[in-house]
Structures are given as structure tokens and as C-alpha cells.
Amino acid sequence: MTEPSSTVSCPVLREELDPVTSSESEAVSGVLSPLTEALFQRHFGGAERGLDPLPDRLLRGFRDKLFGTCSRREAWRLLRARFPPLTWLPWYPWRTWLLGDAVAGVTVGVVHVPQGMAFALLTSVPPVFGLYTSFFPVLIYTFLGTGRHLSTGTFAVLSLMTGSAVESLVPEPPGGNLSSTERMQLDLQRVGAAAAVAFWSGALMLGMFALQLGFLSTFLSEPVVKALTSGAAVHVLVSQLQSLLGLPFPRQIGYFAVFKTLAAVLTALPQSSPAELTISALSLALLVPVKELNVRFRERLPTPIPGEVFMVLLASVLCFTSSLDTRYNVQIVGSLPVGFPQLLTPSLSTLPLVLAYSLPIALVTFAISVSLASIYADKHNYTINPNQELLAHGVSNLISSLFSCFPNSASLATTSLLVDAGGHTQLTGLFSCAVVLSVLLWLGPLFYYLPKAVLASINISSMRQMFFQMQELPQLWQISKTDFAVWLVTWVAVVTLSVDLGLAVGVIFSMMTVVCRTQRIQCLVLGQVKGRELFCPIRESSKLCQIPGLRIFRYPAPLYFGTRGRFRQTMEQLLGLERQDEEIIKILLPLPGAELVQVVILDCSGIIFVDVAGARELVQLASQCSAARIHLLLAQCNAPVLGTLTRAGLLDILTPEQLFVSVQDAAAHALESLVKEPLASKTYMVWV
């Protein structure tokens, strides 16, 4: 849109317009001559040197970023960067922080045990593999992660996504009546599939680390991440109805899985188990109030109440003493193998299929982990390294997959629990691992009679934080309706389609909103603040003035194939130019009383990048202005933009003396040219 032309006329001072030489001007008034880009590079630019071939530069940059240089100082710096505990451990205040880290680590470890087994059900693998995933990844992240308050391990969203992948890669045979041997073989195949997804997710994150792609976390905006987790919580709730009610039907996967599961539940509801329904109701009746107490009295409690542990112990004792598994056919965890699993290498035969599931899981792992680590890093005044987080989670997933672990990441619930319990550093991971290790080596048989309905109840109660994210929607509507739309579209896509596809829809829609907003950018007409070398948009103040014969425009958006049409339309409208077949066919002559424009300054400070289409559009504008006898000046082009414009042929139309480092320098040059060639001497003018 054009700006209104009814602005205050700027009185032009004579001393501003006197055509004195630059040396005289600087000697008398102390005012420097206008600084062009060529002069700036001549006096202040760096020494030019020949560039190595592009492949050599890329290889050298990759080597320097990954390995650094060979000096002793650089080697030590690289070692500290790759093993973050070396940065803070030498200054660790043992007397004041050790107790807090120990208490927080033990508390989180106690919760890891039931939660790990519960999330294993979401992954469609036996419960013991949830314990493995609560041990190996936590141990690895302790030495590689930069998030001091981050708790890693099993996470509901990833478990759900992995479970869908496992059910697709290793579906249950029709009929579902499997013998114990057939069930064991099916479980082993599913464990292998889950481990393969973890392996290739870790490999993808390591590839992203090698390419230094930590910045990709910025493309998963906060509304997308929160909508993803809230929508996934709905999937978790619905998927656990089978275990809560004891219903005999296979897990629904694919698109519209939520609605398929609800339909299957309604169909099979008469076959529900009263015993498991009672266990589920009692478990939720205990877990939900305990969660609320932990939140409401967070400041008063020395450590959060481990409701999950109490529920697991109580349910196991009741099931053992009442023989619920034999009398009422209640599904129980069964025997947990003691010790560590054997090393498992992923099969390459299903690589293409596994990669399709591994990529979104890798992106979600990275996005949620970095977002959560950043929140607590800002709160406690330290910084994290997104690229190092890629390395930490990549190595964590890849190595732990060799021990039959499924994909893992930071966990919202246990991270909040760690902070509330007084944790300070990654040392909490060691204490947490000690608790899980004791279960793997000695305490596993105690969970033999644990009902699976209790684990399903733990899954549902752990979703409390994700469901409550919906309370932020009214505030989000008030702050940004665009972000509200992103949240809503992502959430609906996740719930109705699937978590993977919903994430893709959310990211694409979020990027589309950014592109659409660049399409609505308006070209700003700048005016001068009286008495100062300051130029501001005229629409922001009616007291700004315009210098006769001079117009200054600012285009505050990237100039690329998506915005070039808007840019062309706006500039032609502002300058009164019309063209057809890339040629000017009409120049609007000034009407009586209209203001004549001789010089146009385009402030390029808002054009952060330009592509080939945008560069050609700007070159075409320069050609039009030249044909219309308008003196076009460009100001404040950044180096990449100026380089692209130069390669597109801009200097075939403009001279280097028409490129300036600032709007002030361009305006000073324009004033000099207006004095040398008054308005009346122009034959072709443009009416604005």
C-alpha cells in the first residue's frame, strides 16, 4: 500500500545545499562527505585474498567445527565442549549441592522404575525394556549433555510414536491367540524393531550434529511443540483404555487411530474385566490426588510424594495375596529378567522402512529436549549448546539401542520432578541410574505380580501436565491469533491423523504463516526528524518532513520469489511507473501542483536476503528509474545481498557511487545532487 503524500515540507538549509568540496566542508563544519560502499571498503574493508575452492572451504569448516585445531589449548577446549562435566565439575560445591543432587536423583530414579515399565507398554515391548531405557540413556547423557536440570529416559510421546512404528513393522498375527512361545518370538521381533528405530534415530541426530544443524530446533515453534504433546496425550489416554478395562482387542494404528480405538472399545465394552476396571479406578483415585498435592504444596514439601511407587507396591502386594491373576485373570507384568540384555545389532534389511519412522522421532527428540533444556537454563542462568545436545541424544539413542532400548529423550514429568526435588547438575543422573540398576540386578522379582492396569493408570496420570497446556489457549489467543491457529491446526492434525503426520502438518502450517506474513509487508515511506539525521516511517508521526525532490523508501522484508510481485506492485505504485513486457510504456507527468521527485533512496536494511528472482526484480527497478530520469540510490545493503545484486547485473545500470553504507550518507549525497541540478531543469519527472 502507498503512504499518504500529505507530509510536512522540510525546510532545506542553505549550508546543507552549498556545493562545497568535501575537504572544505570537513574543515569548516566538521561534517564528513557521504560514505559510499566503495569508499567504505577502500578505507575500512579487510584485506582481500584469494578464496580456496568451495569443496576445500567446506571440508576445512567441517573439520574445524568437529575437531578444532591441533593446538593444546584448542584440544582442551574441544574436550570440555564434548564432555560438559569437565566445565563445571572442577568448581562443583560438594558441600552445598551434593545432597540436593543425591535426593533429586534417587527421587527421579524411584519414579523411573514404574514409569519406564508403563511407557514400555506404549512402545509395545515387555516392561523390562523400559527399565533398560531408564538406565543406559540416562548414564550416557550425564557425561555428554549440557542441560544440567534435564532428566532423560522414557517419554510418553516418543513411546507412543515408537509403538505405532513397532506395530506397523511387526504386526500381531490375525486371531491373536498365540502360545507362550509364539508370544515370546513376537516380543523379541518387536524389541528388535524398537531398537532399530532408536539406532537410526541416533544415527540421524549424529548426522545432524556433524552438519551443525542445531539451529533446526528453531523451526519447531513453541505452539507446534505444545500442540504436539497435548495431542499425543489424547493418543496415550485412548490407547490405554484397553489395559484399563482389560479388553481383548489389538492396538489400532495408522490414521484416525483414536477414533478406531474408541469404536473398538465401545464394541468390546461388554467383555471388559470388572477386576481390572476396579484396579484402574482405585489407581487413578490415588495417583491423581497425589499429583495435585505435589503441585499445590511444591514449596512446602521437601521432596515430591512418589505416588507411583506406593501404588506399585500396594497393587503388587494385593495381587499376590488375593491371587488376582489366577482367580480373575488379571494381566500382570510377570518375571523380569535379572541383569543386562545381550548386545543387539540392528538389521539392515528393513532400513528404508525404519528410516521413515526414525526421522520424525529424531526431530521430536531433539525439539523437545532442547526446548526443555533451554527453559531451565534460562531460569538458572546458564546456556546450553544445541549442537552438543544433538551429539548427546544421538549417542544416547544409538548406543542404548545396542542394549535393546527404545527411543528416549528428555521427559517433562521427571525433569519437573528433578527440579522440585532440589537437583542442580547432571550428577543426579548417576544417582537415578543407581536406583534403576538395583532393580535390574536384585529387585526385579518383586514386580512379578504388578497388574498392567496399574501401569496404564501411571501412563494416564503422567499426562496431566500435557493436558493442562490447553489452559494457555486463551492467553495465546490474546497475544497472537496466528500462533493460536498454529496450535489448533497442529493439535487437530495430531489427534485426527497421527503424531507423525500431525507434526509435519504443524511445521508446514507454521512456515506457511511466516511466508504469508512476508506477503503482507508494506513498503514504508520515510521522513526526516527536524534538526536530526534521523529518518522514520511517516505513518508513525505526522510531524516528520520530506525533503523536496527526494523520496526515501524502506522495504522491511526478504526479497525473494514469493515477495517480488508485491515489491514490484508497491514500487511502481509509489513511483508512478507502469510497464509491460519488461519495458516502460508510460511515465506519469506531473500535474499542476504535484511534487516533483528527482532522487529515490531505497533503504535495504530490512532486506535480509535476496534470491535470483528478487535480485532481477531490483535490477529491473533500477532500469525503470534510469529510463524515467530518476536517480536511484541504495543504502545499507548487507554483504550477501549486495553480492547477489552485483552478480545479477546491478552495476551495469547503477554506479558504485550510488551505493551507500547508510540512509544518512545517501540523503547527504542526494542533497548535493539536488543543488547541482535544480528541479526545473528536469525534462521527465515522476508524480508521487
Side-chain angles (χ1 to χ4, degrees), residues 466-482:
M466 299 184 191
F467 281 121
F468 279 10
Q469 290 178 0
M470 296 182 181
Q471 294 179 345
E472 302 176 7
L473 286 179
Q475 183 184 14
L476 189 62
W477 172 265
Q478 295 294 330
I479 296 174
S480 172
K481 293 178 175 56
T482 301

Side-chain angles (χ1 to χ4, degrees), residues 108-109 112 115 133-142 145-147 149-155 365 369 372-373 389 392-393 396-397 407-412 414-415 418 426 428-429 432-433 436:
V108 171
H112 266 315
Q115 201 169 80
T133 310
S134 299
F135 176 77
F136 292 103
V138 177
L139 185 63
I140 295 171
Y141 185 83
T142 299
T146 59
H149 297 81
L150 205 64
S151 174
T152 59
T154 57
F155 182 45
T365 298
S369 299
L372 199 57
E389 288 296 299
H393 290 286
S396 175
N397 276 272
N408 57 86
S409 72
S411 171
L412 298 177
T414 54
T415 297
L418 184 149
Q426 293 97 314
T428 56
S432 174
C433 289
V436 180

Side-chain angles (χ1 to χ4, degrees), residues 438-511:
S438 65
V439 175
L440 288 173
L441 296 182
W442 303 294
L443 304 179
L446 297 179
F447 299 97
Y448 182 92
Y449 289 98
L450 176 61
K452 290 186 177 180
V454 174
L455 298 180
S457 301
I458 292 174
N459 278 333
I460 292 176
S461 64
S462 66
M463 296 294 102
R464 171 190 175 279
Q465 201 171 4
M466 299 184 191
F467 281 121
F468 279 10
Q469 290 178 0
M470 296 182 181
Q471 294 179 345
E472 302 176 7
L473 286 179
Q475 183 184 14
L476 189 62
W477 172 265
Q478 295 294 330
I479 296 174
S480 172
K481 293 178 175 56
T482 301
D483 285 342
F484 178 88
V486 171
W487 194 101
L488 192 61
V489 169
T490 305
W491 188 87
V492 171
V494 169
V495 172
T496 57
L497 300 177
S498 65
V499 177
D500 303 4
L501 190 57
L503 172 63
V505 170
V507 171
I508 293 174
F509 184 78
S510 178
M511 299 303 296

Side-chain angles (χ1 to χ4, degrees), residues 126-189:
V128 69
F129 294 95
L131 296 179
Y132 299 150
T133 310
S134 299
F135 176 77
F136 292 103
V138 177
L139 185 63
I140 295 171
Y141 185 83
T142 299
F143 297 101
L144 296 179
T146 59
R148 299 180 188 175
H149 297 81
L150 205 64
S151 174
T152 59
T154 57
F155 182 45
V157 175
L158 285 187
S159 297
L160 181 71
M161 296 174 68
T162 307
S164 299
V166 168
E167 295 278 353
S168 299
L169 294 171
V170 188
E172 188 167 339
N177 295 323
L178 303 178
S179 64
S180 58
T181 303
E182 292 173 337
R183 174 61 62 181
M184 184 180 300
Q185 292 177 350
L186 179 66
D187 288 341
L188 289 177
Q189 292 177 4

Side-chain angles (χ1 to χ4, degrees), residues 117-450:
M117 291 190 292
F119 289 163
L121 295 184
L122 284 177
T123 317
S124 298
V125 297
V128 69
F129 294 95
L131 296 179
Y132 299 150
T133 310
S134 299
F135 176 77
F136 292 103
V138 177
L139 185 63
I140 295 171
Y141 185 83
T142 299
F143 297 101
L144 296 179
T146 59
R148 299 180 188 175
H149 297 81
L150 205 64
S151 174
T152 59
T154 57
F155 182 45
V157 175
L158 285 187
S159 297
L160 181 71
M161 296 174 68
T162 307
S164 299
V166 168
E167 295 278 353
S168 299
L169 294 171
V170 188
E172 188 167 339
N177 295 323
L178 303 178
S179 64
S180 58
T181 303
E182 292 173 337
R183 174 61 62 181
M184 184 180 300
Q185 292 177 350
L186 179 66
D187 288 341
L188 289 177
Q189 292 177 4
R190 289 184 168 180
V191 167
V197 173
F199 181 91
W200 292 113
S201 296
L204 287 172
M205 284 187 278
L206 288 179
M208 293 167 65
F209 163 75
L211 297 174
Q212 298 290 286
L213 298 181
F215 66 91
L216 288 180
S217 61
T218 58
F219 289 96
L220 290 175
S221 63
E222 181 179 330
V224 171
V225 173
K226 289 189 173 182
L228 173 71
T229 54
S230 296
V234 176
H235 280 273
V236 172
L237 173 63
V238 174
S239 67
Q240 294 305 289
L241 291 177
Q242 175 188 2
S243 298
L244 287 174
L245 303 176
L247 297 176
F249 63 85
R251 181 173 177 173
Q252 305 294 320
I253 59 174
Y255 303 146
F256 311 108
V258 169
F259 306 104
K260 294 177 183 177
T261 303
L262 290 175
V265 167
L266 293 177
T267 303
L269 195 57
Q271 306 175 33
S272 61
S273 170
E276 294 192 347
L277 180 59
T278 303
I279 293 173
S280 302
L282 293 176
S283 300
L284 291 174
L286 174 66
L287 292 172
V288 173
V290 169
K291 293 279 188 183
E292 291 298 325
L293 288 175
N294 285 335
V295 173
R296 183 167 298 184
F297 300 101
R298 178 180 301 172
E299 304 296 332
R300 300 182 185 180
L301 292 173
T303 183
I305 303 172
E308 293 91 346
V309 177
F310 292 149
M311 191 66 246
V312 165
L313 295 177
L314 180 61
S316 298
V317 171
L318 289 177
C319 185
F320 172 72
T321 56
S322 304
S323 302
L324 297 179
D325 57 322
T326 56
R327 295 174 59 184
Y328 300 101
N329 199 27
V330 172
Q331 300 180 42
I332 59 175
V333 170
S335 60
L336 295 178
V338 176
F340 297 114
Q342 295 181 350
L343 286 176
L344 175 70
T345 55
S347 173
L348 297 178
S349 59
T350 58
L351 177 59
L353 294 176
V354 173
L355 280 179
Y357 296 105
S358 299
L359 180 58
I361 288 177
L363 294 177
V364 171
T365 298
F366 176 56
I368 290 178
S369 299
V370 170
S371 300
L372 199 57
S374 299
I375 291 173
Y376 287 99
D378 294 341
K379 184 177 180 180
H380 295 275
N381 299 316
Y382 64 91
T383 59
I384 66 163
N385 185 340
N387 287 312
Q388 179 65 21
E389 288 296 299
L390 275 173
L391 175 66
H393 290 286
V395 172
S396 175
N397 276 272
L398 191 145
I399 294 182
S400 64
S401 70
L402 302 179
F403 295 93
S404 303
C405 296
F406 50 82
N408 57 86
S409 72
S411 171
L412 298 177
T414 54
T415 297
S416 178
L417 181 65
L418 184 149
V419 174
D420 293 341
H424 300 285
T425 65
Q426 293 97 314
L427 278 183
T428 56
L430 297 180
F431 295 101
S432 174
C433 289
V435 175
V436 180
L437 181 63
S438 65
V439 175
L440 288 173
L441 296 182
W442 303 294
L443 304 179
L446 297 179
F447 299 97
Y448 182 92
Y449 289 98
L450 176 61

